[in-house]
Amino acid sequence: MSIKRAFYVAAASLAAAFAWPATSSASPSSAAAPAVVDLSSADLSEAVRLDTEWAIYWNRFVDPAAFGGGEAPLPDAFVPMPALWTSYGPGFGSVGYATLRLRLVGLEPGRRYGLKTSAFQSAALVFAGGRLVQAHGRPARQAAGEEPAWRSLVSPVEADGSGRLEIVLHVSNFNDRSGGTHASALFGDLDAVARERERTVAYELFMCGAILVMGAYYLGLFAFRRRERAALWFGLLCVTLAVRVLLYDEFYIVSIFPSIGYRTLFKLGYLSFTAAVACVAAFVGATFPGEFRRRATVGAVAASGAYALFVAFAPTRLSSLALPAYQACAVAVGLACVVAIALAVARKRPGAGLFGLGFMAIFGTTVYDILVTAGVVHGAFASQVGMLAFLFALSLILTRRYADAFSAAETLSDDLARVNKSMERFVPKQFLGFLKKRSLEEIELGDSSSEEMAVLFVDVRSFSRMAEDSTPEATFSFINEYLERVGPAVRDHGGFVDKYLGDGFMALFPGGAEPALRCALDVQARVAAYNAEREASGRKPIRVGAGMHAGRLMLGTIGESQRMDGTVIADAVNVASRLEGVSKEYGLGIAASECVLKELSDPTAFRMRFIGKVRVKGKAEPVSVFDIYEGDPEDLRSRKDLTRAAFERGIDAFHERRLGDARALFSQVLATIPGDGASLRYLNAIRERGPA
């Protein structure tokens, strides 16, 4: 499960990385009139998207000067941008030409603004304030005069003296399936718009580089192991998608090859899609030959090859019109791959489950790209993100494969194995794992590792008094008897005991706060069962308290050459230890910090109450402490449930210096829970402050 969990985390991180380039944008608010956007209240220090209704003048190129004054021509309709013309409804065709207009108001005269547009299908001229600022090819009234181009351009623009800016587009399409655009027009301060494009370009170059490096790795693997056909196809797929990243969105390949023409760019984009589908089919067929039959691979490659030939030699418009049919073919290939992978999982092929998760990422993002191309949804192409998720999954599979191979190849002498097994009882093997060591003999002074973990301190209440009333032998016997019962709870919840502290212990949980909390509740349950045994034999029951915190720890070795020890150094350890002391002072079963609650998947699944902000030794700022009473005896739980609201209102009143109200509320709690330590401490604090 740890590998799957790692994949989920990586997939989420990749999804966040994909969303990052657009996070600085915001939608402007439209004014009352259509095709007018009021930006007077917009923060233009960040680029905003002009995603609103624009006026359209169908089959007309209207001179931008006509909108400057007097009787402006009436539009045919108001249409959303960005969108494809085929979504505009009756009266609009997939080919033709038009004028689009949007007026921005509420701007500052003399302020330098920036306007970014891109991805017009097929050609566009952009006018701002009556001035031509961008040329994406040359639009025309008929196919013979059109010169299409794909560009992503940022231009400086200024508002007129009244704070208005008229944006006018002359657009035409005679070369693509439908006119329109997939990309939003961005507007804001010139530096903000330019910065937005730079971020997007940097993101695309990062994605391209990461995918290309992995492609080179797999092609190198095939070069050294020719039997690894899957590595060949996957390496080629990586190279194809790396190139594809440069062909769309910001069209960065135009910056590398300025002389590249529209038709070359168009054909390369389409051919990269067909090559990717063929490589995916060949890769899945090579990875799971028993589930994805050869004829399926041949069929997918043949269909891709046929459409690739059509793209290479047919006019661009015909290629684009045939694209939906090939996209349906690509989806069918993807579904066939899903079925094959599902069969491999059912047949328990090694790595099939993780492979399937990665493939679903690339398949889902490819379907998303198809919807973007069809104009169903708007956004940037995402297949490169799915590709990185797929790469990560395959890397985990490869890592596990080699780890298994190394495990099978490694042999240890019987004496060393026995020593290591024995020493594991003194130094947890998990500790060695975090230091990247396989045995104690590999550990050197100063070895260390930084990790995110949860820390749990557990202590027996009134142990000193018990020890005074017992012999040393009886005390040792009690400690071992107690730890024999509660120690396994730590392992059961994915943690390990770092240190035994007499009657208590410190445990670390690499899985985070939730396993640590469930362990603490398990310890309370085991102590309750142990108390039943003690009372049955005439002994007094015991009580335990726990403190919990989470954060980054430094695990390592300290000492000198002849004597060293493993230890953990971190503020999180200090806070957890102090919270265990807070649990003793307040009479709590479990005292947890706010950091613990933030890591819980569902904090409402546990009964708790807020104790307040408590100053702990070693911390400049107070720590928010919660009494988690889920493991308290049933009667006490019920009473805390009844008084929780009053208790927390009392805390609010105390901090607002309404001491009379606080005294009454805490007294109300004590009437239901006599001896409630937290309420008593607040009442003592109220008495020390004096009368309300």
Side-chain angles (χ1 to χ4, degrees):
M1 285 299 295
S2 60
I3 292 179
K4 289 185 179 179
R5 188 182 301 116
F7 172 76
Y8 292 140
V9 172
S13 301
L14 289 169
F18 171 67
W20 169 73
T23 53
S24 62
S25 298
S27 298
S29 58
S30 297
V36 177
V37 175
D38 185 358
L39 295 175
S40 57
S41 60
D43 179 11
L44 297 181
S45 62
E46 293 291 335
V48 298
R49 301 183 185 278
L50 302 181
D51 293 354
T52 185
E53 288 194 337
W54 293 51
I56 188 170
Y57 304 81
W58 184 245
N59 282 339
R60 286 186 281 171
F61 282 150
V62 181
D63 187 345
F67 303 112
E71 285 286 333
L74 294 176
D76 294 291
F78 296 94
V79 296
M81 283 276 285
L84 297 182
W85 291 353
T86 50
S87 68
Y88 291 164
F92 299 94
S94 60
V95 296
Y97 61 98
T99 299
L100 289 158
R101 179 185 63 83
L102 181 68
R103 176 179 296 169
L104 307 182
V105 299
L107 304 177
E108 297 179 21
R111 184 173 174 179
R112 280 171 59 84
Y113 294 105
L115 175 66
K116 175 181 177 290
T117 62
S118 64
F120 289 104
Q121 298 177 198
S122 302
L125 296 178
V126 181
F127 299 88
R131 180 173 59 90
L132 177 65
V133 294
Q134 293 178 11
H136 302 256
R138 187 178 69 184
R141 293 178 173 83
Q142 55 188 1
E146 182 180 74
E147 295 180 4
W150 284 345
R151 295 286 187 272
S152 177
L153 301 174
V154 176
S155 302
V157 296
E158 291 186 7
D160 62 17
S162 59
R164 297 180 179 180
L165 179 64
E166 201 86 39
I167 300 175
V168 178
L169 310 177
H170 285 179
V171 294
S172 71
N173 175 58
F174 296 99
N175 282 272
D176 214 322
R177 188 168 74 253
S178 173
T181 179
H182 300 298
S184 299
L186 298 184
F187 184 82
D189 288 341
L190 179 59
D191 289 344
V193 177
R195 190 167 58 246
E196 178 72 16
R197 183 176 188 274
E198 289 169 1
R199 278 199 294 260
T200 307
V201 169
Y203 163 76
E204 290 182 356
L205 291 179
F206 165 76
M207 298 295 286
C208 176
I211 296 174
L212 198 59
V213 166
M214 290 303 295
Y217 170 80
Y218 280 96
L219 289 175
L221 182 62
F222 172 73
F224 288 107
R225 287 179 57 87
R226 293 302 179 94
R227 294 183 303 167
E228 296 284 349
R229 290 283 178 181
L232 169 64
W233 296 116
F234 193 75
L236 292 175
L237 177 61
C238 290
V239 173
T240 299
L241 288 185
V243 173
R244 184 175 172 82
V245 171
L246 303 178
L247 296 172
Y248 289 104
D249 293 337
E250 296 302 324
F251 310 107
Y252 191 76
I253 197 169
V254 177
S255 301
I256 304 173
F257 304 105
S259 61
I260 192 170
Y262 165 81
R263 286 170 178 79
T264 302
L265 193 59
F266 178 96
K267 292 179 185 296
L268 285 175
Y270 275 50
L271 291 174
S272 68
F273 181 41
T274 60
V277 173
C279 288
V280 166
F283 172 60
V284 175
T287 306
F288 301 113
E291 289 73 29
F292 197 78
R293 299 295 184 180
R294 180 175 176 80
R295 60 177 176 270
T297 302
V298 172
V301 172
S304 298
Y307 183 64
L309 288 173
F310 186 72
V311 169
F313 297 104
T316 57
R317 176 158 171 77
L318 291 180
S319 299
S320 66
L321 289 173
L323 179 62
Y326 179 70
Q327 287 175 333
C329 175
V331 172
V333 171
L335 292 175
C337 291
V338 170
V339 172
I341 295 168
L343 286 174
V345 172
R347 295 169 182 173
K348 299 183 179 179
R349 305 293 191 209
L354 197 53
F355 185 97
L357 290 174
F359 184 81
M360 290 305 297
I362 192 171
F363 180 57
T365 51
T366 300
V367 172
Y368 172 83
D369 282 1
I370 291 173
L371 295 176
V372 170
T373 303
V376 177
V377 296
H378 305 299
F381 292 111
S383 57
Q384 61 267 30
V385 179
M387 184 63 171
L388 280 185
F390 196 22
L391 282 169
F392 184 77
L394 289 184
S395 298
L396 289 179
I397 294 171
L398 186 64
T399 301
R400 186 166 63 183
R401 181 187 302 171
Y402 280 107
D404 292 343
F406 282 129
S407 296
E410 289 175 346
T411 56
L412 298 172
S413 68
D414 292 340
D415 288 343
L416 183 59
R418 283 196 297 269
V419 169
N420 284 338
K421 187 67 176 177
S422 176
M423 292 303 294
E424 282 180 4
R425 294 182 293 174
F426 295 90
V427 179
K429 62 181 179 181
Q430 294 94 330
F431 193 94
L432 294 178
F434 287 114
L435 295 182
K436 309 298 186 292
K437 306 298 181 183
R438 292 172 295 177
S439 65
L440 286 174
E441 66 179 6
E442 296 179 4
I443 291 182
E444 295 180 1
L445 188 64
D447 287 339
S448 62
S449 176
S450 178
E451 306 289 340
E452 288 282 345
M453 294 189 189
V455 186
L456 173 66
F457 278 82
V458 179
D459 183 67
V460 176
R461 298 290 179 251
S462 304
F463 175 75
S464 299
R465 188 177 305 166
M466 291 175 59
E468 291 174 358
D469 297 336
S470 302
T471 64
E473 293 80 5
T475 300
F476 269 96
S477 177
F478 159 73
I479 291 175
N480 289 327
E481 186 178 69
Y482 156 71
L483 292 176
E484 183 71 19
R485 285 164 171 76
V486 301
V490 177
R491 293 190 296 274
D492 290 348
H493 294 277
F496 63 95
V497 175
D498 178 71
K499 282 183 176 59
Y500 289 107
L501 308 167
D503 59 312
F505 61 85
M506 180 182 83
L508 304 178
F509 293 82
E514 186 143 339
L517 176 54
R518 294 192 182 279
C519 174
L521 295 172
D522 193 1
V523 166
Q524 290 182 321
R526 293 175 187 239
V527 168
Y530 178 44
N531 281 335
E533 296 177 25
R534 291 178 62 86
E535 290 176 335
S537 61
R539 293 179 293 173
K540 294 181 180 179
I542 64 170
R543 293 179 59 247
V544 296
M548 295 177 55
H549 190 53
R552 182 160 290 277
L553 316 178
M554 181 65 72
L555 297 88
T557 56
I558 60 172
E560 42 90 14
S561 59
Q562 298 301 313
R563 176 70 171 91
M564 67 178 69
D565 197 5
T567 191
V568 180
I569 301 174
D571 180 65
V573 175
N574 174 59
V575 172
S577 174
R578 302 306 179 189
L579 289 179
E580 186 276 318
V582 170
S583 74
K584 181 184 298 184
E585 295 170 7
Y586 283 70
L588 312 178
I590 301 174
S593 69
E594 187 177 18
C595 291
V596 170
L597 265 66
K598 288 180 178 179
E599 287 194 14
L600 298 179
S601 58
D602 182 12
T604 61
F606 305 91
R607 288 185 171 95
M608 64 181 70
R609 60 178 182 169
F610 179 54
I611 296 300
K613 289 185 176 293
V614 178
R615 290 193 175 275
V616 298
K617 186 176 180 181
K619 291 285 289 184
E621 297 296 328
V623 177
S624 295
V625 182
F626 294 82
D627 170 20
I628 300 181
Y629 58 91
E630 182 71 25
D632 287 0
E634 183 176 352
D635 177 63
L636 182 57
R637 286 201 308 267
S638 299
R639 286 184 285 164
K640 284 187 177 181
D641 284 341
L642 291 172
T643 59
R644 180 175 60 187
F647 179 84
E648 293 180 346
R649 288 201 309 273
I651 293 176
D652 291 339
F654 179 82
H655 289 294
E656 293 170 3
R657 298 185 180 276
R658 294 183 288 109
L659 301 185
D661 293 342
R663 184 185 299 109
L665 288 164
F666 290 126
S667 298
Q668 179 183 337
V669 174
L670 287 169
T672 305
I673 314 175
D676 180 60
S679 298
L680 289 172
R681 287 188 66 86
Y682 275 105
L683 286 177
N684 288 336
I686 292 171
R687 282 194 290 270
E688 291 174 2
R689 290 191 179 188

